[in-house]
């Protein structure tokens, strides 16, 4: 009896800035390669696309982390359409950071629910989405936004492993209730020896105005606080949590997050707030990247 023919090897396509990530993932996949892609701007600002590697009949993986998504979406859509037009067997979007998840409801009359609109655009362009820790709030699942199969990976256990290896005597602190799922996963809740952890409560009165309620921290006296969250954007929630920890007599906290977006001068503000160390995963390229996600992404592919 003849065996099934071997599947065609994957072709990874690096959008601008993703060349090193694509190369690392390709090395972890059997027979995978990185396509030669030529992107440039026409004089009128429109995007030119050309593949210099064959993709016909092969599964294509577009590698594009969607921070600063506005400048990336049109080239990404055009590259996906070109791959399909050239006969790719399938097109997968590998987006370690998935932008356009913030506006998940109509908060004021006349607003657009842009998370849904971008979800429709990308679902029409690709066959599958692979991402890491999307910021789900009012959308309970990514399937509520995207109509293609979605693989949602979590880097929280990798955050916990980094803490165990680098911060002796740590306890994890979630700055708000939304962070609880990442804190619990990083702490190893359900495992034989979970890290000590606590979660604060947050009330947001505006984009830059947050109030945090702090539970009793006496059980954690003598331990080193590690603030854990999925995304650091403006940093205001982390800064407010760090202030409460300082008021309670704890040493300067470590901050460990999956995605480091650092909008509106957040990195400078966090440094001024007295954090001892700032660590992120490499889903968004930044000087604070200490935790690699290439192996996690390769396993999903």
């Amino acid at each position: 009896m003849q065996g099934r023919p071997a599947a065609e090897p994957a072709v990874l396509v690096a959008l601008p800035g993703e060349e090193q990530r694509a190369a690392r993932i390709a090395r972890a996949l059997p027979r995978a390669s990185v396509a030669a892609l030529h992107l440039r701007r026409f004089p009128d600002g429109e995007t030119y696309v050309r593949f210099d590697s064959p993709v016909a009949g092969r599964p294509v993986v577009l590698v594009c982390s969607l921070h600063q998504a506005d400048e990336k979406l049109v080239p990404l859509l055009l590259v996906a359409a070109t791959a399909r037009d050239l006969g790719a067997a399938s097109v997968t979007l590998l987006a370690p950071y998935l932008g356009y998840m913030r506006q998940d409801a109509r908060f004021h009359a006349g607003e657009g629910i842009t998370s849904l609109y971008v979800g429709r655009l990308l679902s029409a362009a690709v066959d599958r989405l692979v991402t890491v820790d999307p910021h789900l709030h009012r959308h309970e699942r990514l399937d509520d936004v995207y109509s293609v199969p979605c693989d949602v990976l979590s880097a929280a256990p990798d955050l916990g492993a980094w803490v165990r290896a680098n911060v002796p005597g740590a306890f994890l602190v979630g700055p708000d209730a939304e962070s609880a799922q990442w804190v619990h996963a990083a702490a190893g809740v359900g495992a034989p020896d979970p890290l000590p952890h606590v979660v604060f409560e947050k009330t947001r009165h505006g984009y830059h105005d947050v109030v945090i309620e702090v539970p009793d921290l006496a059980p954690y006296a003598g331990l080193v606080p590690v603030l854990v969250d999925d995304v650091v954007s403006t940093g205001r929630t982390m800064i407010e949590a760090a202030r409460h920890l300082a008021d309670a007599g704890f040493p300067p906290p470590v901050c460990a997050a999956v995605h480091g977006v650092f909008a509106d001068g957040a990195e400078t503000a966090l440094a001024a707030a007295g954090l001892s160390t700032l660590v992120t995963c490499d889903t968004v390229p930044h000087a604070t990247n200490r935790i690699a996600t290439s192996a996690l992404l390769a396993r999903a592919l």
Side-chain angles (χ1 to χ4, degrees):
M1 181 176 178
Q2 287 188 327
R4 295 168 60 186
E8 288 293 322
V11 179
L12 278 74
V13 179
L15 275 289
E18 298 288 352
E19 293 81 5
Q20 291 185 7
R21 190 196 312 277
R24 289 193 297 268
I25 295 171
R27 286 195 293 269
L29 295 174
R31 302 188 299 140
S33 60
V34 178
L37 176 69
H38 185 70
L39 285 181
R40 63 177 174 83
R41 297 278 188 181
F42 286 110
D44 60 3
E46 295 180 0
T47 298
Y48 170 86
V49 180
R50 186 182 74 234
F51 280 87
D52 291 328
S53 299
V55 297
R58 300 180 68 180
V60 168
V61 180
L62 309 181
V63 182
C64 184
S65 200
L66 286 172
H67 57 289
Q68 299 176 339
D70 280 12
E71 65 189 55
K72 299 179 179 183
L73 280 172
V74 168
L76 175 62
L77 293 170
L78 293 175
V79 171
T82 303
R84 279 185 162 171
D85 196 32
L86 293 173
S90 63
V91 179
T92 293
L93 170 59
L94 191 154
Y97 175 77
L98 187 61
Y100 273 98
M101 294 300 295
R102 176 180 299 279
Q103 190 75 18
D104 53 8
R106 203 183 316 278
F107 303 101
H108 303 285
E111 288 183 340
I113 308 175
T114 50
S115 58
L116 294 177
Y117 312 151
V118 171
R120 292 170 192 162
L121 281 171
L122 290 176
S123 294
V126 302
D127 302 300
R128 178 188 177 202
L129 170 65
V130 179
T131 191
V132 178
D133 289 311
H135 189 71
L136 296 170
H137 187 193
R138 292 166 188 85
H139 299 307
E140 292 186 6
R141 304 185 314 148
L142 203 55
D143 291 343
D144 297 336
V145 185
Y146 287 82
S147 60
V148 294
C150 298
D151 291 282
V152 176
L153 314 178
S154 178
D158 296 313
L159 289 182
W162 184 92
V163 171
R164 289 179 185 273
N166 293 278
V167 189
F171 79 104
L172 306 187
V173 180
D176 56 25
E178 290 180 32
S179 67
Q181 60 181 300
W182 288 278
V183 171
H184 293 164
V189 171
D193 185 27
L195 290 168
H197 56 279
V198 65
V199 177
F200 295 174
E201 291 285 339
K202 175 184 74 175
T203 302
R204 183 178 289 278
H205 298 288
Y207 192 59
H208 295 288
D209 184 12
V210 296
V211 175
I212 288 179
E213 298 177 14
V214 180
D216 180 19
L217 296 176
Y220 309 99
L223 299 180
V224 179
V226 180
L227 290 162
V228 172
D229 211 345
D230 62 329
V231 181
V232 177
S233 183
T234 64
R236 301 298 172 180
T237 304
M238 288 286 192
I239 290 168
E240 184 68 7
R243 183 180 68 79
H244 284 288
L245 289 165
D247 291 346
F250 286 93
V254 174
C255 172
V258 177
H259 309 295
V261 176
F262 299 115
D264 295 343
E267 189 177 5
T268 300
L270 286 162
L275 296 178
S276 67
T277 308
L278 185 55
V279 173
T280 61
C281 296
D282 63 358
T283 55
V284 178
H286 193 266
T288 59
N289 292 164
R290 297 288 183 275
I291 302 168
T293 57
S294 296
L296 178 69
L297 295 166
R299 286 196 298 271
L301 295 174

